[in-house]
Amino acid sequence: MSEEQDPEALVSLLGREQAPLLARRFYGEGTPSPITASLAQVPELLEVALPFVGAALGPAGLDERTKEIAILRTSALLECRYCVQTHTAVALDVGLSTGEVRALRGEGDLDEAFSDARERVMIAWIDAVALGRGPVAPELATRASEALEEHELVELTLAVSATLMLNRYCTALDLPTGADTLARLAAGGFA
Amino acid sequence: MTALAEAIAAEKIGGRVWFYSNYHCNLQCSYCLTESAPLVKRRELGREAILERAREASALGFTGYGVTGGEPFILDYMPDLVAELGRELPTIVLSNATLFNERRLREIEPLADLPVHIQISLDHPDPVENDEMRGPENFRKVVEAIPKLVERGIGVRIATTLDDPDAADPEEQERLCELHRSMGIPDEDHVVRPVINRGRAVSNEMGVLAGFEQLEPELTLTADGAFYSPFAPTVRGGRLDTDLLVSRTTSPLSAAAGSLVRIADDLPAGHDASIGIR
Ligand code: SF4
């Protein structure tokens, strides 16, 4: 993120020089993410939202691979350009194959890309939580509770829910994808 | 004693809570921190909001109020509001003193019986030099207003803002002090402080750089949130600076005050909070 502000931007991304006092510790050494730099406008929200998002989307009982499947799939279903682009790069970093990433993005066949039965149930669960209205179908709920421990189901569902929140946030505010990420995606043949 | 009162007693944070009543002003000084002028965005905090926060501040253990802007007395309700504040805690109002016509003077007469001071800017003993930074006729209006306030028994302080106080001509400073003494303002009610390199002073390449390490932590409330110091909620190129923003939350005041204490707790040992607004 550049210190120069885009005059067309809906909200300013606060560069390091304008970062409020309580936001500074979230800026780290490098360039702050647009999520950090926009949330910094309300430092008291940044202070709770970033640790929450970090915990909800980072590995805990579920590993990074599973979390990235949840984030990328949800973001693709919600058509969040920022999250799809950013988490395409992260998913590749944590070891998902190009075929798996394309399938999660809706650009390839899921059944072909994911042969593991447990992961297929998880993806069905992610789709139902991300796109559904009302309760999840009982048949899918049964399959999910057979494939996953209760705490895993909780963690997966929260990962999808937190991603939904971010998807709407990033899309509504039209947050720009980092130049580094765009370059990496272009090099890997992704849009 | 509340935790906040303890932090104030330990001088971790200042005892005065500041209110930015508004950002507009009848003047347009070259070093103005807030880029104030007649037609800028007003960012008015509002009479009721100020009174509510003031009551909370008093209950939390703050020991004084400050009102600044923009020019506070551009607002019709300011004389009444300052009187209400002064009935609760000692209050200081920063003013350019150019709006004290007969009607305004009558309205502020009740302040004479209260622990209220009006801090008035006067930068130079000569009209031409003074008005260079503050605009035409400023000197005349100020030296006419001060005796009228003093006559009415209203507490007055003088604030002199200099681009570089260390380089100030001692003879000029002495003439300025003779002037304020001649108007009934003793030396202890005269402060000299540097231009801070924020707001319009940045565009005009004036003043000293002041990071939060040099500023006293004093809770400062504006229409945009709570800030670290009355020198913090500055405006540059029409945009509000957020580097010294504490929180957008100003109510309950305890939340904003608690955040300020947390920031003050993290200040490096031996920091030199040498710059105060009064
Ligand atoms: S310095 Fe004070 S008097 Fe001058 S323009 Fe700014 S608010 Fe008005």
Side-chain angles (χ1 to χ4, degrees):
Chain A
M1 199 209 63
S2 149
E3 299 281 322
E4 289 297 311
Q5 289 303 319
D6 174 0
E8 300 290 306
L10 193 53
V11 294
S12 303
L13 304 180
L14 300 185
R16 200 170 295 280
E17 282 184 2
Q18 282 292 321
L21 296 161
L22 291 172
R24 292 181 190 179
R25 69 192 164 96
F26 296 98
Y27 274 55
E29 293 299 312
T31 306
S33 83
I35 294 177
T36 303
S38 55
L39 274 173
Q41 296 251 9
V42 192
E44 61 270 50
L45 294 187
L46 176 75
E47 277 196 305
V48 291
L50 269 199
F52 165 73
V53 166
L57 302 188
L62 295 175
D63 61 11
E64 277 182 319
R65 172 182 167 85
T66 308
K67 286 297 185 71
E68 286 307 320
I69 289 173
I71 299 164
L72 183 56
R73 181 65 181 162
T74 304
S75 303
L77 293 172
L78 269 280
E79 299 177 19
C80 175
R81 183 232 345 113
Y82 175 87
C83 293
V84 167
Q85 289 176 330
T86 305
H87 283 276
T88 291
V90 181
L92 293 169
D93 284 346
V94 303
L96 272 81
S97 69
T98 303
E100 287 170 335
V101 167
R102 288 213 180 280
L104 291 169
R105 287 169 48 123
E107 298 160 1
D109 190 87
L110 275 169
D111 289 341
E112 258 177 41
F114 291 89
S115 54
D116 181 83
R118 183 171 180 269
E119 284 193 339
R120 284 161 77 146
V121 174
M122 284 198 302
I123 292 168
W125 180 261
I126 293 162
D127 286 10
V129 175
L131 287 185
R133 296 285 181 273
V136 175
E139 179 272 331
L140 176 57
T142 304
R143 281 201 292 138
S145 65
E146 284 168 3
L148 299 164
E149 298 290 338
E150 284 186 8
H151 68 88
E152 292 176 323
L153 197 55
V154 166
E155 194 178 331
L156 182 64
T157 307
L158 187 69
V160 176
S161 308
T163 304
L164 289 170
M165 176 188 81
L166 283 180
N167 289 159
R168 296 306 299 145
Y169 179 83
C170 299
T171 301
L173 298 182
D174 197 20
L175 297 188
T177 310
D180 293 358
T181 303
L182 290 175
R184 278 194 58 197
L185 296 185
F190 285 98
Chain B
M1 208 187 222
T2 65
L4 192 87
E6 277 172 24
I8 292 168
E11 297 184 359
K12 254 188 211 168
I13 67 166
R16 193 183 295 279
V17 59
W18 286 89
F19 301 102
Y20 261 74
S21 55
N22 58 297
Y23 273 66
H24 59 311
C25 183
N26 54 315
L27 304 185
Q28 198 165 340
C29 305
S30 56
Y31 55 70
C32 183
L33 292 171
T34 46
E35 287 189 347
S36 292
L39 296 178
V40 299
K41 195 171 168 187
R42 294 182 168 209
R43 300 178 193 272
E44 196 173 329
L45 191 47
R47 182 180 190 280
E48 288 315 311
I50 292 176
L51 286 172
E52 266 174 42
R53 296 298 94 75
R55 281 189 285 268
E56 281 181 88
S58 168
L60 285 169
F62 280 97
T63 54
Y65 301 131
V67 181
T68 185
E71 170 52 41
F73 285 103
I74 211 166
L75 300 169
D76 279 345
Y77 55 75
M78 194 49 61
D80 265 4
L81 172 65
V82 175
E84 284 207 52
L85 294 175
R87 279 191 277 273
E88 185 78 29
L89 287 176
T91 299
I92 188 160
V93 192
L94 275 47
S95 171
N96 61 35
T98 59
L99 296 173
F100 292 135
N101 56 21
E102 284 308 313
R103 181 173 63 89
R104 263 285 186 266
L105 286 166
R106 266 196 313 280
E107 287 169 347
I108 61 175
E109 273 170 8
L111 303 183
D113 301 323
L114 295 166
V116 171
H117 281 85
I118 299 179
Q119 180 168 304
I120 295 170
S121 307
L122 182 62
D123 294 341
H124 204 281
D126 301 312
V128 176
E129 283 86 346
N130 182 82
D131 294 355
E132 246 169 45
M133 293 206 283
R134 300 189 59 81
E137 298 295 299
N138 177 266
F139 182 89
R140 180 185 62 75
K141 289 179 185 169
V142 169
V143 298
E144 275 175 21
I146 291 172
K148 291 179 185 168
L149 295 167
V150 173
E151 237 167 60
R152 286 166 169 81
I154 295 167
V156 174
R157 289 185 185 153
I158 305 275
T160 299
T161 309
L162 297 175
D163 193 16
D164 181 359
D166 294 335
D169 177 348
E171 183 270 330
E172 263 172 21
Q173 287 309 293
E174 188 45 39
R175 282 197 292 121
L176 183 60
C177 290
E178 276 165 19
L179 176 64
H180 73 66
R181 286 177 208 131
S182 74
M183 293 188 290
I185 312 297
D187 289 359
E188 60 268 27
D189 286 332
H190 176 215
V191 292
V192 179
R193 59 191 191 189
V195 171
I196 303 295
N197 184 248
R198 291 175 70 90
R200 201 176 275 138
V202 176
S203 326
N204 291 328
E205 297 179 4
M206 298 169 76
V208 296
L209 284 172
F212 82 108
E213 294 89 348
Q214 287 84 43
L215 299 174
E216 236 185 289
E218 291 184 283
L219 188 62
T220 300
L221 306 181
T222 78
D224 301 288
F227 287 78
Y228 182 78
S229 138
F231 287 111
T234 47
V235 174
R236 180 142 66 110
R239 295 180 78 95
L240 179 78
D241 287 316
T242 50
D243 56 332
L244 298 173
L245 172 68
V246 170
S247 69
R248 299 289 181 178
T249 306
T250 56
S251 174
L253 192 69
S254 55
S259 296
L260 182 66
V261 172
R262 260 199 304 137
I263 292 167
D265 277 341
D266 282 350
L267 279 168
H271 80 280
D272 178 22
S274 52
I275 301 175
I277 203 161
R278 83 212 116 75

